[in-house]
Structure formats: C-alpha cells, structure tokens
C-alpha cells in the first residue's frame, strides 16, 4: 500500500482496522527522505530495465539500504527483494507511483513531490518560521489517521528522534491527545556527552512512545 499517512483510512486496508501499529516518522528538519528515495527508486528501475547487475555495495549499497528501509515501512512492492549491508535490493523494473526514471528538468510525478513531505530538512530551510507549526499540524493529521485505523484498545508504537529545536516526545504526545489517543508509556535515550563530542549514531535524543486507542 502506497499512500499518504495523513489520509490513511480503514477503507484502504483489506482487513479494515488493526490491533497494532509500529512506525518511525521523519525526524523533524533532519533529513530529506523523499529526495533520497525517489532518486534511488528511479535509478533502480532504470538499471533493472537496462538488464545490468542491480546488486549494490559500499557507499551505493548504504544508500540503497537506507531507501530499502524507508520503502519497507510501506511494505515492499510485488517482485521486490530487500537486503541490507552486503546484500542487495532487486527491483522488478515496474514503475512505482508513475516513477520510471529521473524526469527531465527534475519535475517529479504526483506523489513524489517534496512539497508534501512531512518534516523535510529542505522545508525547514525554506520556511524556518513556519516549520514548527506545519510539523505539528502534520503530526496531528497522521496520528488522527492512525487512530481511525486502530480498533478500540489497539496500540501504536512510535519511534522518533528530536529535530533542531523540537522535542518530539512533547510534540507526539500532544498531537496524540488531539487525535484521541492515550499515552500508555514512553522511553527516551539521550547521550550524556556534549553535542560536539557525540559519536555518529548517538547525536540525537530519541523516543519510543506507546499510544492506545480508547
């Protein structure tokens, strides 16, 4: 299923409402997830159609693995196999949401435009004064959609990291309350080192938030 998380509805799911949801939303203003995903997807389709070896290693493999992780959050498409590390990503060569190559002039198809991306770093750069407000509105929108898809008593586990100037534990629990979800539990991990001394992978405070539908 490929859909905007803010408009997800039980009618789109073959099983209707669900008992549990596990997700990791974008870290606000930290990465441009969609830019990476669309570039990699377009190149994978072109390589597949060209019949070349689609196995990626080293730096390229890292990018493909990052893309595979994001793709996997929506469920792999038909004919796809996802591997990480020294493994490979193999695509069927079919277009995904209208994307078959890097478009001329970089005019991306509907659904691949970064204008609609939640929490993108480029959005923070473009409109820094509006970013926090838009981020919170998007949080409320996707959590409201998640609430619609959860049965009564269903649980949602959310893993999220802080962005520049945004405490995502506060942000997520506030948005969840607006969406009608109850905070069941939370846990936070943070480095005790000064920001400039933190090792890669330990630079941001991260949270696990467990929410329940009443």
């Amino acid at each position: 299923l490929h859909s905007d998380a803010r408009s997800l509805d039980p009618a789109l799911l073959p099983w209707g409402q669900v008992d549990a949801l596990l997700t990791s939303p974008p870290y606000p203003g930290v990465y441009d997830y969609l830019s990476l995903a669309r570039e990699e997807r377009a190149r994978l389709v072109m390589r597949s159609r060209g019949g070349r070896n689609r196995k990626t290693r080293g730096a390229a493999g890292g990018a493909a693995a990052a893309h595979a992780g994001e793709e996997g959050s929506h469920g792999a498409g038909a004919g796809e196999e996802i591997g990480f590390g020294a493994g490979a990503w193999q695509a069927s060569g079919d277009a995904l949401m209208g994307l078959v190559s890097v478009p001329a002039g970089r005019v991306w198809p509907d659904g691949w435009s970064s204008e609609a991306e939640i929490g993108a770093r480029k959005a923070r750069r473009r409109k820094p004064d509006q970013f926090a407000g838009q981020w919170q509105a998007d949080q409320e929108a996707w959590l409201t959609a998640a609430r619609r898809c959860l049965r009564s008593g269903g649980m949602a586990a959310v893993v999220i990291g802080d962005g520049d100037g945004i405490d995502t534990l506060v942000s997520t629990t506030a948005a969840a309350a607006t969406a009608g979800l109850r905070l069941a539990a939370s846990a936070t991990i943070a480095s005790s080192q000064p920001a400039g001394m933190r090792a890669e992978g330990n630079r941001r405070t991260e949270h696990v938030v467990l929410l329940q539908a009443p």
Side-chain angles (χ1 to χ4, degrees):
L1 174 64
H2 299 278
S3 180
D4 189 324
R6 292 162 291 194
S7 59
L8 191 61
D9 189 273
L12 298 173
L13 305 176
W15 46 80
Q17 289 183 312
V18 298
D19 295 308
L21 181 154
L22 175 63
T23 187
S24 181
Y27 293 14
V30 177
Y31 304 109
D32 290 320
Y33 295 95
L34 185 59
S35 294
L36 171 63
R38 66 190 182 189
E39 293 275 354
E40 283 297 317
R41 181 68 196 196
R43 292 190 177 105
L44 288 164
V45 172
M46 289 189 293
R47 284 199 293 270
S48 176
R49 291 185 170 186
R52 293 193 295 275
N53 187 339
R54 298 184 295 275
K55 186 166 287 190
T56 53
R57 296 181 183 274
H67 175 208
E70 181 170 309
E71 188 75 9
S73 68
H74 299 284
E80 293 175 358
E81 299 176 2
I82 300 174
F84 298 89
W89 165 292
Q90 293 184 323
S92 65
D94 295 332
L96 176 63
M97 296 166 54
L99 187 63
V100 294
S101 64
V102 177
R106 307 185 73 76
V107 179
W108 298 93
D110 290 344
W112 291 98
S113 170
S114 59
E115 294 298 322
E117 185 177 3
I118 296 176
R121 180 172 54 184
K122 63 178 64 176
R124 181 174 60 82
R125 290 197 304 264
R126 289 170 180 164
K127 298 179 180 179
D129 56 330
Q130 300 177 27
F131 181 78
Q134 185 59 55
W135 162 258
Q136 194 62 24
D138 286 333
Q139 283 268 77
E140 292 175 6
W142 82 258
L143 281 163
T144 297
R147 170 64 188 92
R148 288 196 299 265
C149 294
L150 281 173
R151 296 187 180 99
S152 178
M155 309 294 289
V158 181
V159 179
I160 192 167
D162 288 353
D164 294 332
I166 296 180
D167 182 327
T168 51
L169 177 60
V170 173
S171 166
T172 303
T173 53
T178 299
L181 291 164
R182 181 183 69 84
L183 176 64
S186 68
T188 296
I189 185 169
S191 174
S192 60
Q193 296 294 322
M197 297 179 62
R198 295 176 188 175
E200 186 174 357
N202 296 310
R203 292 174 181 167
R204 295 191 176 277
T205 299
E206 295 178 301
H207 315 279
V208 178
V209 185
L210 187 63
L211 305 169
Q212 185 172 37

